[in-house]
PDB file of all heavy atoms in Angstrom:
ATOM      1  N   PRO P 873     114.165 133.681  13.221  1.00 97.00           N
ATOM      2  CA  PRO P 873     114.138 134.872  12.359  1.00 97.00           C
ATOM      3  C   PRO P 873     112.787 135.557  12.280  1.00 97.00           C
ATOM      4  O   PRO P 873     112.670 136.786  12.158  1.00 97.00           O
ATOM      5  CB  PRO P 873     114.554 134.354  10.958  1.00 97.00           C
ATOM      6  CG  PRO P 873     114.496 132.866  11.076  1.00 97.00           C
ATOM      7  CD  PRO P 873     114.603 132.480  12.486  1.00 97.00           C
ATOM      8  N   PHE P 895     106.538 142.678  26.131  1.00 95.00           N
ATOM      9  CA  PHE P 895     107.703 142.569  26.978  1.00 95.00           C
ATOM     10  C   PHE P 895     107.517 143.056  28.428  1.00 95.00           C
ATOM     11  O   PHE P 895     108.397 142.923  29.228  1.00 95.00           O
ATOM     12  CB  PHE P 895     108.876 143.387  26.368  1.00 95.00           C
ATOM     13  CG  PHE P 895     109.460 142.748  25.150  1.00 95.00           C
ATOM     14  CD1 PHE P 895     109.086 143.175  23.873  1.00 95.00           C
ATOM     15  CD2 PHE P 895     110.377 141.727  25.262  1.00 95.00           C
ATOM     16  CE1 PHE P 895     109.608 142.570  22.736  1.00 95.00           C
ATOM     17  CE2 PHE P 895     110.915 141.105  24.131  1.00 95.00           C
ATOM     18  CZ  PHE P 895     110.514 141.512  22.885  1.00 95.00           C
ATOM     19  N   SER P 915     106.000 137.780  27.139  1.00 96.00           N
ATOM     20  CA  SER P 915     104.609 137.498  27.580  1.00 96.00           C
ATOM     21  C   SER P 915     103.878 136.476  26.667  1.00 96.00           C
ATOM     22  O   SER P 915     102.729 136.213  26.867  1.00 96.00           O
ATOM     23  CB  SER P 915     103.810 138.795  27.652  1.00 96.00           C
ATOM     24  OG  SER P 915     103.669 139.332  26.367  1.00 96.00           O
ATOM     25  N   PRO P 955     101.753 130.148  12.073  1.00 97.00           N
ATOM     26  CA  PRO P 955     102.710 130.440  11.017  1.00 97.00           C
ATOM     27  C   PRO P 955     103.421 131.842  11.142  1.00 97.00           C
ATOM     28  O   PRO P 955     104.608 131.926  10.925  1.00 97.00           O
ATOM     29  CB  PRO P 955     101.897 130.292   9.726  1.00 97.00           C
ATOM     30  CG  PRO P 955     100.818 129.366  10.105  1.00 97.00           C
ATOM     31  CD  PRO P 955     100.486 129.651  11.536  1.00 97.00           C
ATOM     32  N   ALA P 970     115.505 119.190  22.969  1.00 98.00           N
ATOM     33  CA  ALA P 970     116.922 119.598  22.789  1.00 98.00           C
ATOM     34  C   ALA P 970     117.542 120.098  24.100  1.00 98.00           C
ATOM     35  O   ALA P 970     118.712 119.782  24.366  1.00 98.00           O
ATOM     36  CB  ALA P 970     117.001 120.652  21.725  1.00 98.00           C
ATOM     37  N   SER P 996     103.721 107.460  34.356  1.00 98.00           N
ATOM     38  CA  SER P 996     103.475 106.339  35.309  1.00 98.00           C
ATOM     39  C   SER P 996     103.948 105.020  34.731  1.00 98.00           C
ATOM     40  O   SER P 996     104.586 104.216  35.459  1.00 98.00           O
ATOM     41  CB  SER P 996     101.955 106.235  35.577  1.00 98.00           C
ATOM     42  OG  SER P 996     101.478 107.437  36.186  1.00 98.00           O
ATOM     43  N   HIS P1010      91.455 123.727  24.831  1.00 93.00           N
ATOM     44  CA  HIS P1010      90.325 124.229  24.033  1.00 93.00           C
ATOM     45  C   HIS P1010      90.399 125.755  23.873  1.00 93.00           C
ATOM     46  O   HIS P1010      89.401 126.354  23.513  1.00 93.00           O
ATOM     47  CB  HIS P1010      89.015 123.827  24.700  1.00 93.00           C
ATOM     48  CG  HIS P1010      88.907 124.283  26.095  1.00 93.00           C
ATOM     49  ND1 HIS P1010      89.288 123.417  27.110  1.00 93.00           N
ATOM     50  CD2 HIS P1010      88.590 125.422  26.700  1.00 93.00           C
ATOM     51  CE1 HIS P1010      89.146 124.065  28.285  1.00 93.00           C
ATOM     52  NE2 HIS P1010      88.723 125.295  28.021  1.00 93.00           N
ATOM     53  N   GLN P1027      99.445 116.231  37.705  1.00 97.00           N
ATOM     54  CA  GLN P1027      99.987 117.585  37.446  1.00 97.00           C
ATOM     55  C   GLN P1027     100.650 118.138  38.728  1.00 97.00           C
ATOM     56  O   GLN P1027     100.301 117.751  39.824  1.00 97.00           O
ATOM     57  CB  GLN P1027      98.836 118.531  37.091  1.00 97.00           C
ATOM     58  CG  GLN P1027      98.248 118.315  35.730  1.00 97.00           C
ATOM     59  CD  GLN P1027      97.041 119.247  35.526  1.00 97.00           C
ATOM     60  OE1 GLN P1027      97.178 120.459  35.516  1.00 97.00           O
ATOM     61  NE2 GLN P1027      95.868 118.709  35.343  1.00 97.00           N
ATOM     62  N   TRP P1051     119.271 125.319  21.120  1.00 97.00           N
ATOM     63  CA  TRP P1051     118.578 125.570  19.822  1.00 97.00           C
ATOM     64  C   TRP P1051     118.769 124.379  18.845  1.00 97.00           C
ATOM     65  O   TRP P1051     118.202 124.379  17.779  1.00 97.00           O
ATOM     66  CB  TRP P1051     119.138 126.829  19.167  1.00 97.00           C
ATOM     67  CG  TRP P1051     118.781 128.096  19.867  1.00 97.00           C
ATOM     68  CD1 TRP P1051     119.452 128.754  20.818  1.00 97.00           C
ATOM     69  CD2 TRP P1051     117.545 128.847  19.703  1.00 97.00           C
ATOM     70  NE1 TRP P1051     118.780 129.874  21.239  1.00 97.00           N
ATOM     71  CE2 TRP P1051     117.574 129.937  20.568  1.00 97.00           C
ATOM     72  CE3 TRP P1051     116.383 128.665  18.908  1.00 97.00           C
ATOM     73  CZ2 TRP P1051     116.547 130.887  20.676  1.00 97.00           C
ATOM     74  CZ3 TRP P1051     115.391 129.602  19.003  1.00 97.00           C
ATOM     75  CH2 TRP P1051     115.449 130.704  19.880  1.00 97.00           C
ATOM     76  N   CYS P1081      86.322  97.509  30.344  1.00 98.00           N
ATOM     77  CA  CYS P1081      85.334  96.987  29.397  1.00 98.00           C
ATOM     78  C   CYS P1081      84.714  95.764  30.016  1.00 98.00           C
ATOM     79  O   CYS P1081      85.356  94.770  30.247  1.00 98.00           O
ATOM     80  CB  CYS P1081      86.026  96.624  28.093  1.00 98.00           C
ATOM     81  SG  CYS P1081      84.938  95.838  26.891  1.00 98.00           S
ATOM     82  N   GLU P1091      73.322  97.820  18.388  1.00 93.00           N
ATOM     83  CA  GLU P1091      72.768  98.479  17.241  1.00 93.00           C
ATOM     84  C   GLU P1091      72.669 100.003  17.429  1.00 93.00           C
ATOM     85  O   GLU P1091      72.193 100.732  16.556  1.00 93.00           O
ATOM     86  CB  GLU P1091      71.396  97.905  16.864  1.00 93.00           C
ATOM     87  CG  GLU P1091      71.528  96.507  16.337  1.00 93.00           C
ATOM     88  CD  GLU P1091      70.183  95.800  16.101  1.00 93.00           C
ATOM     89  OE1 GLU P1091      69.160  96.538  16.080  1.00 93.00           O
ATOM     90  OE2 GLU P1091      70.182  94.586  15.933  1.00 93.00           O
ATOM     91  N   GLY P1101      90.919 118.582  16.439  1.00 98.00           N
ATOM     92  CA  GLY P1101      92.024 118.317  17.346  1.00 98.00           C
ATOM     93  C   GLY P1101      92.632 116.965  17.100  1.00 98.00           C
ATOM     94  O   GLY P1101      92.607 116.391  15.978  1.00 98.00           O
ATOM     95  N   TYR P1120      80.656 107.082  13.865  1.00 98.00           N
ATOM     96  CA  TYR P1120      80.730 107.900  12.602  1.00 98.00           C
ATOM     97  C   TYR P1120      81.518 109.156  12.888  1.00 98.00           C
ATOM     98  O   TYR P1120      81.186 109.853  13.867  1.00 98.00           O
ATOM     99  CB  TYR P1120      79.301 108.302  12.131  1.00 98.00           C
ATOM    100  CG  TYR P1120      78.452 107.125  11.759  1.00 98.00           C
ATOM    101  CD1 TYR P1120      77.545 106.505  12.689  1.00 98.00           C
ATOM    102  CD2 TYR P1120      78.452 106.614  10.469  1.00 98.00           C
ATOM    103  CE1 TYR P1120      76.777 105.443  12.310  1.00 98.00           C
ATOM    104  CE2 TYR P1120      77.639 105.525  10.069  1.00 98.00           C
ATOM    105  CZ  TYR P1120      76.816 104.942  11.034  1.00 98.00           C
ATOM    106  OH  TYR P1120      76.031 103.882  10.643  1.00 98.00           O
ATOM    107  N   VAL P1161      73.282 109.327  19.553  1.00 98.00           N
ATOM    108  CA  VAL P1161      74.225 109.861  20.532  1.00 98.00           C
ATOM    109  C   VAL P1161      75.428 110.513  19.818  1.00 98.00           C
ATOM    110  O   VAL P1161      75.909 109.973  18.830  1.00 98.00           O
ATOM    111  CB  VAL P1161      74.720 108.759  21.491  1.00 98.00           C
ATOM    112  CG1 VAL P1161      75.812 109.272  22.410  1.00 98.00           C
ATOM    113  CG2 VAL P1161      73.566 108.234  22.365  1.00 98.00           C
ATOM    114  N   ALA P1169      91.787 116.233  23.508  1.00 98.00           N
ATOM    115  CA  ALA P1169      91.130 115.026  23.846  1.00 98.00           C
ATOM    116  C   ALA P1169      91.211 114.607  25.344  1.00 98.00           C
ATOM    117  O   ALA P1169      91.184 113.460  25.692  1.00 98.00           O
ATOM    118  CB  ALA P1169      91.620 113.849  22.965  1.00 98.00           C
ATOM    119  N   TRP P1197      77.571 106.622  38.164  1.00 98.00           N
ATOM    120  CA  TRP P1197      76.620 105.532  38.370  1.00 98.00           C
ATOM    121  C   TRP P1197      77.091 104.276  37.629  1.00 98.00           C
ATOM    122  O   TRP P1197      77.107 103.138  38.195  1.00 98.00           O
ATOM    123  CB  TRP P1197      75.247 105.924  37.865  1.00 98.00           C
ATOM    124  CG  TRP P1197      74.302 104.752  37.620  1.00 98.00           C
ATOM    125  CD1 TRP P1197      73.616 104.042  38.601  1.00 98.00           C
ATOM    126  CD2 TRP P1197      74.078 104.067  36.380  1.00 98.00           C
ATOM    127  NE1 TRP P1197      72.948 103.023  38.004  1.00 98.00           N
ATOM    128  CE2 TRP P1197      73.195 102.996  36.668  1.00 98.00           C
ATOM    129  CE3 TRP P1197      74.499 104.278  35.062  1.00 98.00           C
ATOM    130  CZ2 TRP P1197      72.730 102.141  35.687  1.00 98.00           C
ATOM    131  CZ3 TRP P1197      74.040 103.416  34.087  1.00 98.00           C
ATOM    132  CH2 TRP P1197      73.168 102.356  34.370  1.00 98.00           C
ATOM    133  N   LEU P1219      86.009 110.780  43.643  1.00 98.00           N
ATOM    134  CA  LEU P1219      86.391 112.197  43.938  1.00 98.00           C
ATOM    135  C   LEU P1219      85.674 113.152  42.994  1.00 98.00           C
ATOM    136  O   LEU P1219      85.377 112.780  41.855  1.00 98.00           O
ATOM    137  CB  LEU P1219      87.933 112.377  43.754  1.00 98.00           C
ATOM    138  CG  LEU P1219      88.870 111.370  44.346  1.00 98.00           C
ATOM    139  CD1 LEU P1219      90.293 111.669  43.902  1.00 98.00           C
ATOM    140  CD2 LEU P1219      88.758 111.402  45.886  1.00 98.00           C
ATOM    141  N   ALA P1232      77.374 107.773  47.203  1.00 98.00           N
ATOM    142  CA  ALA P1232      78.287 107.177  48.194  1.00 98.00           C
ATOM    143  C   ALA P1232      77.582 106.901  49.495  1.00 98.00           C
ATOM    144  O   ALA P1232      77.777 105.865  50.108  1.00 98.00           O
ATOM    145  CB  ALA P1232      79.528 108.056  48.379  1.00 98.00           C
ATOM    146  N   GLY P1245      90.028 121.684  39.920  1.00 91.00           N
ATOM    147  CA  GLY P1245      91.109 121.300  39.003  1.00 91.00           C
ATOM    148  C   GLY P1245      91.588 119.918  39.210  1.00 91.00           C
ATOM    149  O   GLY P1245      91.682 119.401  40.334  1.00 91.00           O
ATOM    150  N   ARG P1335      88.543 142.398  42.337  1.00 94.00           N
ATOM    151  CA  ARG P1335      88.968 142.453  43.743  1.00 94.00           C
ATOM    152  C   ARG P1335      87.897 143.130  44.609  1.00 94.00           C
ATOM    153  O   ARG P1335      87.503 142.603  45.636  1.00 94.00           O
ATOM    154  CB  ARG P1335      90.302 143.187  43.861  1.00 94.00           C
ATOM    155  CG  ARG P1335      91.097 142.801  45.068  1.00 94.00           C
ATOM    156  CD  ARG P1335      92.494 143.413  45.099  1.00 94.00           C
ATOM    157  NE  ARG P1335      93.309 142.972  43.953  1.00 94.00           N
ATOM    158  CZ  ARG P1335      93.737 143.768  42.972  1.00 94.00           C
ATOM    159  NH1 ARG P1335      93.404 145.046  42.968  1.00 94.00           N
ATOM    160  NH2 ARG P1335      94.430 143.325  41.965  1.00 94.00           N
ATOM    161  N   ASN P1343      83.369 141.972  53.392  1.00 93.00           N
ATOM    162  CA  ASN P1343      83.241 143.094  54.364  1.00 93.00           C
ATOM    163  C   ASN P1343      81.778 143.628  54.293  1.00 93.00           C
ATOM    164  O   ASN P1343      81.565 144.771  53.986  1.00 93.00           O
ATOM    165  CB  ASN P1343      84.238 144.200  54.074  1.00 93.00           C
ATOM    166  CG  ASN P1343      85.659 143.621  54.032  1.00 93.00           C
ATOM    167  OD1 ASN P1343      86.120 143.104  55.032  1.00 93.00           O
ATOM    168  ND2 ASN P1343      86.321 143.732  52.860  1.00 93.00           N
ATOM    169  N   HIS P1344      80.869 142.710  54.535  1.00 90.00           N
ATOM    170  CA  HIS P1344      79.451 143.026  54.327  1.00 90.00           C
ATOM    171  C   HIS P1344      79.013 144.155  55.277  1.00 90.00           C
ATOM    172  O   HIS P1344      79.373 144.152  56.467  1.00 90.00           O
ATOM    173  CB  HIS P1344      78.597 141.754  54.531  1.00 90.00           C
ATOM    174  CG  HIS P1344      77.189 141.956  54.145  1.00 90.00           C
ATOM    175  ND1 HIS P1344      76.806 142.225  52.866  1.00 90.00           N
ATOM    176  CD2 HIS P1344      76.029 141.887  54.892  1.00 90.00           C
ATOM    177  CE1 HIS P1344      75.486 142.356  52.807  1.00 90.00           C
ATOM    178  NE2 HIS P1344      74.994 142.136  54.006  1.00 90.00           N
ATOM    179  N   SER P1361      73.102 129.849  55.138  1.00 97.00           N
ATOM    180  CA  SER P1361      73.338 129.097  56.363  1.00 97.00           C
ATOM    181  C   SER P1361      74.837 128.865  56.660  1.00 97.00           C
ATOM    182  O   SER P1361      75.221 128.554  57.797  1.00 97.00           O
ATOM    183  CB  SER P1361      72.609 127.749  56.328  1.00 97.00           C
ATOM    184  OG  SER P1361      73.042 127.004  55.186  1.00 97.00           O
ATOM    185  N   LEU P1417      71.146 122.852  43.401  1.00 95.00           N
ATOM    186  CA  LEU P1417      70.113 122.606  44.413  1.00 95.00           C
ATOM    187  C   LEU P1417      70.029 121.097  44.590  1.00 95.00           C
ATOM    188  O   LEU P1417      69.823 120.359  43.626  1.00 95.00           O
ATOM    189  CB  LEU P1417      68.757 123.156  43.898  1.00 95.00           C
ATOM    190  CG  LEU P1417      67.676 123.481  44.932  1.00 95.00           C
ATOM    191  CD1 LEU P1417      68.212 124.441  45.991  1.00 95.00           C
ATOM    192  CD2 LEU P1417      66.470 124.071  44.216  1.00 95.00           C
ATOM    193  N   SER P1424      60.516 114.929  43.874  1.00 73.00           N
ATOM    194  CA  SER P1424      60.737 114.882  42.425  1.00 73.00           C
ATOM    195  C   SER P1424      59.921 115.932  41.648  1.00 73.00           C
ATOM    196  O   SER P1424      59.630 115.755  40.512  1.00 73.00           O
ATOM    197  CB  SER P1424      60.455 113.495  41.885  1.00 73.00           C
ATOM    198  OG  SER P1424      59.145 113.115  42.288  1.00 73.00           O
ATOM    199  N   LEU P1433      65.908 127.232  41.743  1.00 97.00           N
ATOM    200  CA  LEU P1433      67.311 127.472  41.406  1.00 97.00           C
ATOM    201  C   LEU P1433      67.473 128.704  40.545  1.00 97.00           C
ATOM    202  O   LEU P1433      68.354 129.523  40.739  1.00 97.00           O
ATOM    203  CB  LEU P1433      67.920 126.224  40.714  1.00 97.00           C
ATOM    204  CG  LEU P1433      69.446 126.343  40.431  1.00 97.00           C
ATOM    205  CD1 LEU P1433      70.246 126.469  41.712  1.00 97.00           C
ATOM    206  CD2 LEU P1433      69.953 125.147  39.649  1.00 97.00           C
ATOM    207  N   ALA P1439      69.019 136.084  42.060  1.00 98.00           N
ATOM    208  CA  ALA P1439      69.318 136.840  43.260  1.00 98.00           C
ATOM    209  C   ALA P1439      70.853 137.033  43.428  1.00 98.00           C
ATOM    210  O   ALA P1439      71.301 138.132  43.783  1.00 98.00           O
ATOM    211  CB  ALA P1439      68.732 136.189  44.480  1.00 98.00           C
ATOM    212  N   LYS P1451      80.056 146.723  35.325  1.00 95.00           N
ATOM    213  CA  LYS P1451      80.271 146.609  33.853  1.00 95.00           C
ATOM    214  C   LYS P1451      80.776 145.240  33.438  1.00 95.00           C
ATOM    215  O   LYS P1451      81.776 145.131  32.711  1.00 95.00           O
ATOM    216  CB  LYS P1451      81.237 147.718  33.375  1.00 95.00           C
ATOM    217  CG  LYS P1451      80.737 149.138  33.623  1.00 95.00           C
ATOM    218  CD  LYS P1451      81.678 150.187  33.032  1.00 95.00           C
ATOM    219  CE  LYS P1451      81.139 151.579  33.119  1.00 95.00           C
ATOM    220  NZ  LYS P1451      80.917 152.046  34.479  1.00 95.00           N
TER     221      LYS P1451
END
Side-chain angles (χ1 to χ4, degrees):
F895 289 98
S915 66
S996 299
H1010 55 266
Q1027 287 177 63
W1051 291 94
C1081 175
E1091 289 176 14
Y1120 295 94
V1161 172
W1197 163 79
L1219 312 173
R1335 206 172 298 113
N1343 305 298
H1344 190 60
S1361 57
L1417 202 55
S1424 54
L1433 185 63
K1451 299 185 173 61

